Amino acid sequence: MNLPAQMSGQMLPVFAVLPELLLALGAMILLMVGAFRGNRSTGLVSEIAIGLLAAAALIVASFPTGKFAAFGGSFIIDEFGRFLKILALIGSAATLIMSFDYAAVHMRRRFEYPVLILLSTTGMMMLISAGDLIALYLGLELMSLCLYVLAAFNRDSARATEAGLKYFVLGALSSGMLLYGASLIYGFTGTVSFAGIAAAAPAGGVGLVFGLVFLLAGLCYKVSAVPFHMWTPDVYEGAPTPVTTFFAAAPKVAAIAVFVRSAVVAFPTIATQWQQILVFVAIGSMVLGAFAAIGQRNIKRLMAYSSIGHMGYALIGLAAAAPGGEQGIQGVQAVIVYMAIYVAMTLGTFACILAMRRGDQMLEEIGDLAGLARTSPAMAFFLATLLFAMAGIPPLAGFFAKFYVFLAAIKSGLYGLAVIGVLASVVGAYYYLMIVKVMYFDEPAGDGFEPMPNELKAVLGVTGLLVLLFFAYPGPLIDAATNAAKSLF
């Protein structure tokens, strides 16, 4: 179906925010269901939450093509927003599906968990469609406040409580920096609208650049990019594993989306300045992600540093988009392709991590994977495939993700950035291959893991096959990413 829209490019507000309204109202109703029925309603609440996420994705997919604005331009509907909203919704729904078995054993089936996922996803969707600084901040805070609670969700664990506190304190600092940057931008341009900022500041200026720096610093925190990455390893390790899965997938999509939209739409006239910032951030993230992960023995901490590195690669594409025009489209297209493949690789890898269990004990050490190829050959094969893809080894999907961002950098003249990215990939391949070596060549560490639950098998099978067979039919993703990128220019 096609939802009604006015001919002027303005969409009726109730239709523009229908997916967000569905999730928000659904979360409120489910909260009441849980409050009255207690934790015995957790299974029902989780299933309905997954249904709401699927329904929201269908509504987003049914929006008419073209670019529409609502609430005076504060909320933008375009191909870019549609694609990344669906990607974020997939990440959230997959996280809930993967959480069923873990929640029953380790989280005492608390009904608040799916409700918080829904509310956080609502914030992500608002963030992806933000057309001004106020909408950006509201979406960011709705998403982040739920994430702070989720990080400390396991109240009986000192590690989880510490993770939640660290995330909250550093998140408050980043929010302050972002707000300060937004106030500077408003002070020097007289508007909070992205389109208005681009029109009001054709020549830039020192004050606007300072505001931009603080705004990007706040966004760097949300994608865990250097030098605002310090929370990531501790929070990934301390949070319950399904929560870590959520952190690694859906919120990263939303944060990268607003990163791209704010830079490309609001600051095209000072693209040289934000390109310089992004080049520094991308290099720092790639290098730190490559070297810091080498000494890790906890697989969740290793995935944290891997995530930092992957965000650096994604930001290469955004840096390459600074010139605008065809180069801008290619750069944004590379970011979108990278994020789609990154989400698939991350969900599949965390499905394997969630299956690392003996009895009721969750295992997190890389050494616990020793001899997995003998005790669970299918799981070892798919995990090795996903790790090879993360390392960027052809012909797996991860290779094409890096290929597109490096190609965009070369076409924009960022040769040094592309070379550093390739070298960082080579270094990063070491710790991915180290895990494969442990699985295939070390003696088994124990009796093997418990049988993998069906929902984890489904997620691992789908993501593993997508990564493995992407080279055979990449057209749909590439075409969708190209159309999404064109809608910003």
Side-chain angles (χ1 to χ4, degrees), residues 60-76:
V60 172
S62 69
F63 278 149
T65 56
K67 188 170 185 176
F68 305 94
F71 302 104
S74 295
F75 198 86
I76 306 296

Side-chain angles (χ1 to χ4, degrees), residues 238-250:
T241 306
V243 175
T244 305
T245 307
F246 185 57
F247 284 174

Side-chain angles (χ1 to χ4, degrees), residues 37-318:
R37 295 191 58 189
N39 286 332
R40 69 179 186 275
S41 66
T42 302
L44 175 65
V45 171
S46 297
E47 290 166 5
I48 295 175
I50 293 169
L52 288 171
L53 291 167
L58 288 174
I59 294 172
V60 172
S62 69
F63 278 149
T65 56
K67 188 170 185 176
F68 305 94
F71 302 104
S74 295
F75 198 86
I76 306 296
I77 303 292
D78 56 10
E79 295 296 329
F80 177 80
R82 275 190 284 273
F83 185 97
L84 290 170
K85 280 184 179 182
I86 291 172
L87 189 59
L89 288 164
I90 290 171
S92 299
T95 300
L96 280 177
I97 292 169
M98 292 162 64
S99 303
F100 278 129
D101 185 68
Y102 184 99
V105 177
H106 299 279
M107 293 201 296
R108 299 180 184 174
R109 285 194 167 274
R110 295 193 179 114
F111 71 88
E112 299 93 341
Y113 174 69
V115 173
L116 287 167
I117 294 280
L118 282 181
L119 290 173
S120 181
T121 307
T122 306
M124 292 175 212
M125 295 179 72
M126 184 173 181
L127 194 59
I128 291 170
S129 283
D132 64 24
L133 296 173
I134 295 175
L136 183 157
Y137 184 71
L138 289 175
L140 193 69
E141 286 307 295
L142 177 57
M143 176 185 83
S144 299
L145 287 171
C146 298
L147 297 182
Y148 302 150
V149 180
L150 285 169
F153 197 75
N154 188 358
R155 296 192 295 263
D156 299 328
S157 168
R159 280 199 318 172
T161 305
E162 180 186 356
L165 184 61
K166 281 182 178 177
Y167 194 21
F168 172 71
V169 171
L170 293 171
L173 175 64
S174 76
S175 293
M177 295 174 70
L178 187 143
L179 271 180
Y180 182 59
S183 66
L184 282 174
I185 293 166
Y186 173 70
F188 282 95
T189 62
T191 180
V192 293
S193 164
F194 289 167
I197 292 167
V206 176
L208 186 64
V209 172
F210 265 100
L212 174 64
V213 169
F214 280 104
L215 182 73
L216 295 186
L219 295 177
C220 281
Y221 176 87
K222 297 305 175 186
V223 299
S224 59
V226 172
F228 303 98
H229 65 283
M230 66 290 290
W231 61 275
T232 315
D234 292 336
V235 172
Y236 272 44
E237 182 183 9
T241 306
V243 175
T244 305
T245 307
F246 185 57
F247 284 174
K252 295 289 175 67
V253 172
I256 283 288
V258 76
F259 219 131
V260 173
R261 190 186 292 278
S262 58
V264 169
V265 176
F267 302 101
T269 56
I270 54 172
T272 304
Q273 283 87 338
W274 59 254
Q275 184 187 53
Q276 292 172 355
I277 297 169
L278 291 180
V279 167
F280 164 76
V281 168
I283 290 173
S285 300
M286 291 186 298
V287 172
L288 182 124
F291 284 96
I294 290 175
Q296 302 302 320
R297 293 296 173 262
N298 182 291
I299 195 164
K300 286 165 70 177
R301 287 186 74 88
L302 185 143
M303 289 301 294
Y305 285 110
S306 170
S307 172
I308 294 169
H310 282 298
M311 291 304 102
Y313 295 117
L315 291 175
I316 290 178
L318 181 52

